[in-house]
């Protein structure tokens, strides 16, 4: 027998002759572990936690040729690009929208000073109120 097997036999014998209640063959108390597991609170998800607010364009690809989408973020009277606090977009998508609008205006797809009359009657994506 090697030294590891002999030491394991001695451990078994010493545990067998001790006769301590609650000890298994390996010398670990299982009785204490079960009561400790019952005392721990259940870790469940918070039922009052609100779902994270997401940007309306986080799942879509923004292209400078999609004039109908881009015109939703431009003022119909002055042609200015709406800011983040008005559109409700995340920082990344607001930057992409601004770059796409500027590129479309430079290439001649969109007018610079006003909104294209074809898209004035389109429903708003974000909560923008215009005086009428």
């Amino acid at each position: 027998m090697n030294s590891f097997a002999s030491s394991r036999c001695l451990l078994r014998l010493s545990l067998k002759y001790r006769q301590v209640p609650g000890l298994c063959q390996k010398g670990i108390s299982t009785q204490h572990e079960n009561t400790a597991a019952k005392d721990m609170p259940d870790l469940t998800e918070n039922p009052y936690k609100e779902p994270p607010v997401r940007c309306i364009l986080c799942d879509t690809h923004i292209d400078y040729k999609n004039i109908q989408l881009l015109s939703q973020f431009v003022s119909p009277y002055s042609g200015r690009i709406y800011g983040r606090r008005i559109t409700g977009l995340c920082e990344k998508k607001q930057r992409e929208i601004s770059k796409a609008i500027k590129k479309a205006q430079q290439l001649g797809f969109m007018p610079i000073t006003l909104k294209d009359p074809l898209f004035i009657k389109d429903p708003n994506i974000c909560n923008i109120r215009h005086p009428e």
Side-chain angles (χ1 to χ4, degrees), residues 3 36 70 80 90-91 93 99 103-104 108 121 126 129:
S3 65
L70 297 178
R80 290 186 62 196
C90 62
E91 186 177 344
K93 288 299 178 178
K99 285 182 180 181
K103 186 173 183 178
K121 298 287 184 183
C126 44
R129 293 195 176 110

Side-chain angles (χ1 to χ4, degrees), residues 34-105:
N34 290 340
T35 58
K38 290 178 186 176
D39 291 339
M40 293 300 291
D42 291 335
L43 298 176
T44 57
E45 241 181 89
N46 184 359
Y48 303 108
K49 183 179 178 184
E50 294 182 10
V53 178
R54 291 193 45 139
C55 163
I56 56 173
L57 295 180
C58 274
D59 298 332
T60 60
H61 174 70
I62 297 171
D63 190 19
Y64 69 94
K65 294 179 232 170
N66 190 354
I67 306 304
Q68 190 168 12
L69 174 69
L70 297 178
S71 68
Q72 295 290 318
F73 303 100
V74 174
S75 171
Y77 306 109
S78 63
R80 290 186 62 196
I81 302 170
Y82 291 124
R84 260 185 73 200
R85 63 181 181 83
I86 297 172
T87 60
L89 297 178
C90 62
E91 186 177 344
K92 180 181 176 185
K93 288 299 178 178
Q94 180 68 31
R95 201 175 320 116
E96 286 181 23
I97 284 284
S98 298
K99 285 182 180 181
I101 289 173
K102 290 173 187 173
K103 186 173 183 178
Q105 288 173 345

Side-chain angles (χ1 to χ4, degrees), residues 110-124:
M110 281 181 76
I112 295 172
T113 56
L114 54 106
K115 189 173 183 176
D116 195 359
L118 293 173
F119 305 125
I120 288 182
K121 298 287 184 183
D122 283 350
N124 289 332

